[in-house]
């Protein structure tokens, strides 16, 4: 018999689903000391209110001190990954965030909305039978437009996110798409792609990504347009900061939505009464999208490091201790949500934490919501209901609640 801690850390567990029973038991204990042979020793935080406390207190629980993954970076990588916005604290985090904010204002997102809806309608209307594979293209198209990546190179974003998020899954670890039609700068970057399975989260694991980032940056410097990369070329950024921002765009900007959309459909397929309720009342689409994000929770945890001695729900935490907040538990906390394991498209309760909380709240949350709404508007416009056509294939990962394949058919 494995312990609950062993269950939630084992990537094999997630190929059959998130272990919510284990998380419920751990949530009763709340702040739990866990020892793991790979991740070392850390405090795991499972309740909604305590997760929010950790996330909104960067002066106590730092993203910068040891970065944001459970496993410590290699010493030679830590200095570099600390330059990523995801792994910074105010005021440095605030400086980088201000540079990007204008790309995600309500006005900026509204300007993209019709194009997003057109892409979503086309994707849903031309199905391959694998919903997860089909909708993976929507965030790639959107990111290409927002950040100024040529659309014909968007498969690079797909491969990079596969390799980073799916490094624990053999199907994704060496992802490589068809290069037909890619730009010369993409083909040149791909000459540097490693094929030895090295860790893509390390500085030397993604040389093709960094080479492409530099080539694209130089192109935008010479030929600026109205996109994020062009704007960044006008800012006072170090090379490391630019490289890391591009890494973040390519991976985080794609992966959460790519899994959140099929996760939302799985919720509807597993709850046909709620699917019919939504088909009968389109006014529920806004709350349905939020419930999909809560119920599925694409990113399951993040790490912080205590910078001073403190307490959390009466538990003493020492300076230097790793503290890992579990979103997939907090979003099912009985203290925050009524009957939390029930999927309810009309739920109006506490805000879910799938986009985080505090200074690191997801910059692209509104853009992600717009894409989710666009896809499910298109699904609801279909002349029938989508039905399962085979087993769901889930990502082998203890970090991302991922869907590799979702076979469906139209009834």
């Amino acid at each position: 018999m494995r312990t609950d801690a062993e269950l939630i850390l084992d990537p094999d567990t997630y190929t059959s689903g998130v272990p919510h029973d284990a998380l419920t038991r751990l949530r009763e204990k709340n702040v739990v000391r866990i020892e793991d042979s790979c991740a070392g020793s850390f405090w795991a935080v499972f309740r909604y209110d305590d997760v929010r406390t950790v996330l909104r207190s960067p002066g106590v629980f730092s993203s910068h001190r040891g970065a944001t993954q459970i496993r410590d970076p290699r010493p030679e990588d830590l200095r570099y990954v600390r330059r990523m916005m995801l792994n910074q604290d105010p005021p440095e985090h605030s400086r980088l965030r201000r540079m990007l904010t204008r790309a995600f204002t309500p006005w900026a997102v509204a300007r993209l909305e019709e194009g997003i809806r057109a892409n979503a309608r086309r994707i849903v209307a031309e199905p391959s039978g694998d919903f997860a594979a089909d909708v993976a293209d929507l965030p790639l198209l959107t990111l290409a437009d927002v950040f100024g990546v040529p659309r014909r190179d968007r498969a690079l974003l797909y491969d990079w996110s596969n390799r980073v998020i799916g490094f624990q899954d053999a199907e994704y670890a060496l992802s490589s798409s068809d290069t037909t039609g890619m730009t010369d700068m993409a083909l040149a970057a791909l000459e540097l792609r490693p094929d030895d399975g090295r860790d893509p989260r390390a500085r030397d694991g993604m040389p093709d990504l960094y080479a492409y980032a530099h080539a694209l940056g130089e192109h935008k410097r010479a030929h600026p347009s109205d996109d994020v990369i062009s704007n960044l070329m006008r800012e006072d950024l170090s090379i490391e900061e630019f490289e890391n921002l591009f890494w973040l765009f390519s991976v985080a900007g794609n992966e959460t939505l790519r899994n959140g959309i099929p996760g939302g459909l799985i919720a509807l397929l597993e709850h046909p009464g709620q699917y019919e309720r939504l088909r009968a009342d389109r006014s529920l689409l806004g709350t349905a999208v939020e419930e999909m994000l809560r119920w599925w929770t694409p990113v399951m945890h993040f790490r912080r490091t205590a910078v001073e001695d403190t307490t959390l729900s009466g538990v003493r935490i020492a300076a230097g201790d790793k503290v890992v907040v579990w979103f997939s538990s907090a979003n099912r906390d009985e203290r925050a949500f009524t009957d939390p394991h029930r999927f309810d498209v009309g739920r109006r309760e506490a805000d879910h934490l799938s986009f985080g909380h505090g200074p690191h709240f997801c910059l692209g949350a509104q853009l992600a919501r717009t894409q989710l709404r666009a896809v499910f508007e298109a699904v609801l416009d279909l002349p029938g209901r989508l039905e399962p056509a085979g087993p769901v294939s889930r990502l082998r990962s203890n970090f991302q609640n991922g869907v590799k394949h979702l076979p469906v058919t139209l009834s």
Side-chain angles (χ1 to χ4, degrees), residues 182-291:
M182 286 187 182
T183 64
D184 289 342
M185 62 182 172
L187 297 175
L190 284 170
E191 291 294 320
L192 304 176
R193 172 171 287 182
D195 58 3
D196 57 3
R198 71 184 70 172
D199 190 339
R201 300 164 300 167
R203 177 69 183 92
D204 62 355
M206 299 281 274
D208 48 326
L209 181 149
Y210 298 117
Y212 187 84
H214 283 275
L216 182 62
E218 288 306 309
H219 175 76
K220 293 296 182 180
R221 198 187 302 277
H223 308 283
S225 55
D226 186 18
D227 57 62
V228 169
I229 302 299
S230 295
N231 291 334
L232 286 176
M233 290 298 97
R234 304 183 185 103
E235 300 285 355
D236 182 21
L237 274 179
S238 71
I239 293 296
E240 290 174 333
E241 286 172 334
F242 173 69
E243 288 179 344
N244 276 323
L245 282 172
F246 188 82
W247 188 102
L248 192 62
F249 300 156
S250 302
V251 178
N254 167 35
E255 199 63 25
T256 298
L257 190 65
R258 169 185 166 186
N259 291 310
I261 295 173
L265 183 61
I266 290 170
L268 294 178
L269 297 177
E270 292 185 357
H271 301 82
Q274 294 297 309
Y275 193 169
E276 284 303 317
R277 182 182 175 197
L278 185 58
R279 291 185 71 198
D281 185 357
R282 292 287 189 96
S283 71
L284 294 172
L285 186 57
T287 55
V289 162
E290 301 305 317
E291 179 70 341

Side-chain angles (χ1 to χ4, degrees), residues 53 75 135 141 149 178 208 213 225 238 245 258 317 320 338 343 366 396:
T53 295
V135 299
L141 288 165
V149 174
D178 183 359
D208 48 326
S225 55
S238 71
L245 282 172
R258 169 185 166 186
I317 296 173
T338 304
F343 178 72
Q366 189 57 34
R396 182 184 182 271

Side-chain angles (χ1 to χ4, degrees), residues 51 53-70 72-73 78 81-82 84-93 302-310 317-325 359-360:
V51 169
T53 295
V54 171
L55 294 177
R56 69 169 176 255
S57 308
V60 179
F61 301 102
S62 169
S63 299
H64 183 69
R65 180 68 60 91
T68 51
Q69 296 295 302
I70 294 181
D72 294 325
L78 180 58
V81 300
R82 278 177 165 174
M84 186 178 293
M85 188 172 72
L86 185 69
N87 299 326
Q88 291 191 338
D89 300 322
E92 280 302 299
H93 171 265
F302 262 124
R303 174 247 184 110
R304 299 291 188 263
T305 304
V307 297
E308 60 186 43
D309 293 346
T310 188
I317 296 173
D321 284 355
K322 289 193 280 190
V323 178
V324 180
V325 294
H360 279 276

Side-chain angles (χ1 to χ4, degrees), residues 374-407:
V375 167
F376 286 100
E377 281 176 358
V379 167
L380 295 173
D381 282 339
L382 291 170
R385 281 176 44 139
L386 292 176
E387 301 284 355
V392 176
S393 175
R394 300 176 63 117
L395 183 67
R396 182 184 182 271
S397 171
N398 61 12
F399 175 66
Q400 183 78 217
N401 189 10
V403 184
K404 296 192 295 184
H405 304 289
L406 175 54

Side-chain angles (χ1 to χ4, degrees), residues 67-141:
T68 51
Q69 296 295 302
I70 294 181
R71 191 171 66 178
D72 294 325
R74 298 181 309 186
E76 62 268 30
D77 291 326
L78 180 58
R79 183 194 68 82
Y80 186 82
V81 300
R82 278 177 165 174
R83 303 301 297 269
M84 186 178 293
M85 188 172 72
L86 185 69
N87 299 326
Q88 291 191 338
D89 300 322
E92 280 302 299
H93 171 265
S94 306
R95 178 180 71 87
L96 291 174
R97 192 177 177 96
R98 279 195 298 271
M99 292 180 188
L100 300 171
T101 297
R102 61 183 170 215
F104 300 102
T105 63
W107 177 83
V109 173
R111 190 177 58 168
L112 296 166
E113 187 166 0
E114 187 46 48
I116 290 170
R117 293 178 70 187
N119 288 332
R121 286 193 297 269
R122 176 185 55 77
I123 288 167
V124 171
E126 300 173 0
S128 69
D130 183 347
F131 187 81
D134 292 341
V135 299
D137 201 33
L138 181 61
L140 298 176
L141 288 165

